[in-house]
Amino acid sequence: MRQFEMRHLTRHDWQVWRDVRLTALRDAPEAFYSTLEREQAYDEARWRDMVQPAQGLKVVAFAGGTPVGVAGGYASEEVEGAIELFGMWVSPAARGTGVAAELVREVIAWADKHGGGRGVRLWVVDGNDRARRLYERLGFTTVDQFYPHPRDHGVRYQLMTRAPS
């Protein structure tokens, strides 16, 4: 039996999105393009806008009513018809429980229904082997495309892609 529940956030869940997103940025700042300081400055209207259906999917994993992971998906701006998986994070206490795989599967299923048939793309921190192995188990392959972390040019992101199901 699954130890967590997945919830696709709606416009009424903006505070859940805000709280789990800020927690993720606080816990693993190197994993994200944005910063805690930047997103702490967002006003309520900005957070509400982020969970509007036009902004894509935000899915949160809950264990015992507490958020333990998050991921999102949106229409890629770089590849028409593809979905970008973004904002992937699992709380340290929930790592290794399968919640990460379930979050990714939720985004893949959403992409299959709402994407344009070009699959899912994501950027993983180069050297985050645990995350890379997870994505590979779920059908993603690495692409020889990188970009530097915006605040630490010794860190770079690598592109991974997955064909539609």
Side-chain angles (χ1 to χ4, degrees):
M1 183 168 165
R2 195 159 82 176
Q3 9 175 6
F4 40 82
E5 142 194 21
M6 295 290 158
R7 184 185 336 160
H8 292 208
L9 301 184
T10 70
R11 61 188 179 87
H12 303 290
D13 296 314
W14 69 271
Q15 291 170 309
V16 172
W17 170 246
R18 179 198 61 202
D19 293 349
V20 74
R21 177 74 176 168
L22 294 177
T23 298
L25 288 165
R26 194 174 292 111
D27 175 63
E30 72 287 346
F32 297 97
Y33 190 82
S34 189
T35 67
L36 177 62
E37 295 76 23
R38 176 181 174 194
E39 295 196 18
Q40 281 177 323
Y42 292 168
D43 63 11
E44 181 179 322
R46 177 80 183 259
W47 288 110
R48 284 181 178 276
D49 183 58
M50 286 187 215
V51 291
Q52 296 299 319
Q55 300 298 326
L57 171 72
K58 312 298 186 298
V59 60
V60 173
F62 291 85
T66 301
V68 295
V70 63
Y74 65 90
S76 173
E77 297 170 2
E78 296 177 19
V79 177
E80 186 175 338
I83 296 296
E84 295 274 343
L85 187 153
F86 80 101
M88 178 73 183
W89 173 81
V90 174
S91 72
R95 292 177 189 157
T97 65
V99 70
E102 193 62 30
L103 284 163
V104 175
R105 285 186 192 103
E106 289 285 326
V107 175
I108 291 169
W110 182 84
D112 287 345
K113 289 180 184 172
H114 301 282
R118 297 285 301 274
V120 180
R121 301 162 37 98
L122 63 85
W123 295 90
V124 63
V125 173
D126 192 30
N128 186 344
D129 295 332
R130 187 175 189 178
R132 181 183 316 279
R133 285 190 305 270
L134 165 72
Y135 298 135
E136 287 171 346
R137 282 194 311 272
L138 295 171
F140 287 85
T141 57
T142 56
V143 175
D144 193 27
Q145 187 174 341
F146 300 88
Y147 75 88
H149 191 283
R151 293 170 306 285
D152 183 348
H153 295 293
V155 175
R156 63 186 186 163
Y157 295 99
Q158 184 173 18
L159 179 64
M160 297 186 79
T161 61
R162 183 184 189 281
S165 299

